[in-house]
Amino acid sequence: MSATRKLHVKSYGCQMNAYDSQRMADLLAHEGFVETAAAEDAELLILNTCHIREKAAEKVYSELGRIRRWKEHAAAKGRPMSIVVAGCVAQAEGEEILRRAPAVDVVVGPQNYHRLPALLDRARRQGKLVDTEFPTESKFDALPPADRDAIRRRGVSAFVTVQEGCDKFCTFCVVPYTRGAEISRPVAKIIAEVERLARAGVREVTLIGQNVNAYHGEGPDGRAWTLGRLLHRVVKVSGIARVRYTTSHPGDVDDSLMAAHRDLPELMPYLHLPVQSGSDRVLAAMNRRHTRRDYLRTLSRMRHARADMAFSSDFIVGFPGETEGDFRETLSLVEEVGYAGAFSFKYSPRPGTPAAKCADQVAEPVKHERLTRLQAAIDRHQAAFNARSLGTTLDILLEKPGRRAGQLVGRSPYLQPVHVMLPESRIGDIVSVHIAEIGANSLFGILSPPAQRSGRTEPRLAAGN
Ligand code: 5AD
Ligand code: SF4
């Protein structure tokens, strides 16, 4: 191909969006586009937006203001520049984006970007357009596969979307409105994608979905498979040494998922299981469909299935009507569980969601103060969890060069970044590392001599496999 067409995808928000951005780049590679880090120089600029919290739409509009100037600048030099707004803000705002940001050419919802080449073509011929229809099948199965070089560039750990959308309707959340109803991909398509990744050198896959453990895709036997069953199949793909999944709903943890944690050494013993609040009153108002006790019972069953399990969670503080007493129950849950890490957020009213209409909104300074207290408790537990790693041996998947020469960074089973002195040729290997030092954000280790190797969590794999 002659002159390359430059593409820049700017991704906001969750892992689903990060994966979607990669898949858009893969799709557009077939149209001759090559990714560039310099957004101003791109012929095609895509904002893959997030709507989950805080003035998301306003931030997108101000970003579009800056981009309009880039577009004007490019036009003055006779260079074309097309602007696409994708993701959840695109879904929520639709036509409004074209009205408020005339520089935008295409607005495409998160379920429709597989149609991007056709949409761009139509926009060129007929003018600006919006596509926010909800399809009935996963777009991933309409996309061409990623090429080997693109997979290699992205490293040894990859995401695979297995499920999209959400039918839960937690009262604070926009996802059921922006991502639509649950759709699960068929098992065969997922396995084909994992095999392709493995052939290009990927060692770890994280199965992702807004509600991943509600997975119910069609199996080769024509029946609906659970996530537990899917995990049993994914670990059989040759070359895949580690598997994870995210994000789960506590109400959808079934026996097959417990069995997967019990039986599959490749399934990492680290689970992100958002609880949102420790107060039953708040959980009910959030329509979470589980109590604090249900949640704790699930964690305890998980620990029973696998003794080295650790957990992380999401929390919302200042949900409408949350009292100091409710909030203290959240703090006490954090103490009781002893999370290895967690994300916490101030409640943000999302247009169109039931909780946004509640009269008893919590004042901003109260939210702020509760968030500070919660984060202090979470940080304390995270530091304690990391400190407990000192002197232990962990299996580390080596991912990329570290900051210092001769150093690599990898991940422990608990997603802790671990630095170790090893040559680049070892990227992709899983090595036993003795943890010698705990830093603020990462651990430092030395390769364990073979006699001391723990072999605790994973099957041993040949180097460079
Ligand atoms: N306000 C604050 N946090 C929210 N989340 C989702 N919706 C909101 C909201 N309206 C948080 C939840 C969820 C995470 C992805 O984002 O904790 O688990
Ligand atoms: Fe949102 Fe609740 Fe669905 Fe999670 S389970 S995506 S918080 S509605």
Side-chain angles (χ1 to χ4, degrees):
M1 192 157 305
S2 55
T4 51
R5 309 175 73 191
K6 291 184 191 160
L7 162 73
H8 183 86
V9 189
K10 192 161 181 189
S11 200
Y12 302 81
C14 66
Q15 285 150 330
M16 297 289 285
N17 261 17
Y19 176 85
D20 283 355
S21 296
Q22 290 179 354
R23 301 312 319 271
M24 282 189 245
D26 293 338
L27 169 67
L28 292 160
H30 290 264
E31 308 290 308
F33 282 101
V34 175
E35 280 187 270
T36 173
E40 316 87 282
D41 298 342
E43 178 182 331
L44 175 56
L45 203 156
I46 303 177
L47 296 187
N48 195 13
T49 60
C50 169
H51 204 236
I52 200 96
R53 282 177 295 274
E54 294 304 340
K55 307 191 179 78
E58 289 314 309
K59 282 183 196 157
V60 171
Y61 287 120
S62 74
E63 179 82 15
L64 286 169
R66 191 164 46 217
I67 290 170
R68 190 192 67 206
R69 288 190 289 279
W70 296 344
K71 188 169 177 166
E72 286 163 0
H73 203 69
K77 291 185 172 168
R79 208 162 43 78
M81 189 176 204
S82 301
I83 316 289
V84 173
V85 180
C88 292
V89 174
Q91 188 69 40
E93 295 278 295
E95 295 278 347
E96 179 69 9
I97 295 180
L98 295 186
R99 262 194 298 278
R100 285 187 56 182
V104 173
D105 299 283
V106 172
V107 175
V108 60
Q111 310 311 332
N112 302 332
Y113 66 73
H114 57 292
R115 301 201 272 249
L116 256 178
L119 294 172
L120 286 164
D121 194 48
R122 243 173 64 207
R124 226 173 353 255
R125 286 183 288 108
Q126 297 165 10
K128 302 168 187 305
L129 56 93
V130 174
D131 182 355
T132 50
E133 249 174 70
F134 282 125
T136 51
E137 280 186 1
S138 170
K139 72 212 170 217
F140 298 113
D141 300 323
L143 286 170
D147 81 38
R148 201 181 165 90
D149 290 339
I151 298 171
R152 288 233 161 105
R153 269 199 311 278
R154 291 171 193 152
V156 295
S157 178
F159 294 138
V160 175
T161 293
V162 301
Q163 177 278 341
E164 294 182 88
C166 182
D167 296 342
K168 290 280 185 296
F169 291 91
C170 298
T171 56
F172 53 81
C173 187
V174 283
V175 165
Y177 309 94
T178 59
R179 292 270 177 169
E182 278 174 17
I183 300 180
S184 295
R185 294 178 70 191
V187 172
K189 303 270 189 186
I190 295 166
I191 297 303
E193 187 170 335
V194 175
E195 285 172 346
R196 197 177 170 87
L197 292 168
R199 280 197 301 273
V202 165
R203 309 303 314 276
E204 172 180 87
V205 287
T206 302
L207 308 185
I208 57 174
Q210 257 93 34
N211 215 327
V212 71
N213 58 334
Y215 177 79
H216 58 271
E218 190 187 342
D221 53 2
R223 304 170 90 153
W225 280 29
T226 60
L227 180 66
R229 194 152 177 212
L230 177 66
L231 287 163
H232 276 86
R233 177 66 188 85
V234 169
V235 300
K236 289 203 190 117
V237 174
S238 167
I240 296 300
R242 287 182 164 191
V243 181
R244 306 176 186 274
Y245 61 91
T246 199
T247 291
S248 303
H249 189 282
D252 288 329
V253 178
D254 65 3
D255 290 344
S256 82
L257 198 52
M258 290 286 176
H261 280 282
R262 186 191 59 215
D263 300 337
L264 305 176
E266 300 88 348
L267 181 57
M268 291 294 96
Y270 189 46
L271 179 60
H272 182 61
L273 196 62
V275 64
Q276 314 297 355
S277 169
S279 151
D280 280 342
R281 220 176 57 79
V282 174
L283 288 171
M286 287 176 164
N287 188 32
R288 288 290 291 174
R289 308 159 190 233
H290 63 82
T291 61
R292 173 189 178 112
R293 193 147 161 259
D294 299 332
Y295 179 80
L296 286 170
R297 201 182 298 127
T298 300
L299 298 200
S300 140
R301 286 184 64 208
M302 282 276 176
R303 283 189 168 125
H304 199 71
R306 186 159 173 174
D308 58 354
M309 284 297 289
F311 300 95
S312 68
S313 180
D314 291 340
F315 292 96
I316 295 177
V317 301
F319 182 81
E322 184 190 69
T323 62
E324 172 65 21
D326 292 320
F327 173 65
R328 286 201 185 153
E329 291 195 46
T330 298
L331 286 181
S332 84
L333 183 71
V334 169
E335 299 304 328
E336 196 166 340
V337 173
Y339 289 100
F343 301 101
S344 47
F345 311 101
K346 286 189 260 191
Y347 169 70
S348 155
R350 305 284 72 211
T353 58
K357 299 183 198 91
C358 290
D360 45 358
Q361 299 290 329
V362 173
E364 178 59 30
V366 177
K367 287 186 198 170
H368 182 80
E369 188 259 349
R370 288 182 189 164
L371 186 69
T372 309
R373 281 156 71 199
L374 178 59
Q375 283 178 342
I378 291 167
D379 288 351
R380 187 161 40 76
H381 281 282
Q382 183 167 3
F385 181 82
N386 287 338
R388 284 198 295 277
S389 310
L390 192 65
T392 66
T393 300
L394 293 171
D395 285 336
I396 307 302
L397 170 60
L398 300 168
E399 291 188 353
K400 56 184 181 197
R403 242 171 291 137
R404 281 196 255 143
Q407 190 187 54
L408 297 183
V409 189
R411 296 267 180 181
S412 77
Y414 305 105
L415 288 178
Q416 296 150 298
V418 180
H419 296 261
V420 54
M421 298 306 287
L422 277 172
E424 266 188 48
S425 59
R426 301 297 301 271
I427 289 175
D429 286 359
I430 293 174
V431 292
S432 281
V433 169
H434 174 81
I435 305 301
E437 203 186 318
I438 310 289
N441 301 310
S442 58
L443 313 179
F444 298 86
I446 43 179
L447 204 61
S448 299
Q452 288 173 21
R453 286 189 171 183
S454 71
R456 192 173 69 184
T457 53
E458 293 163 12
R460 188 112 286 118
L461 288 142
N465 189 356

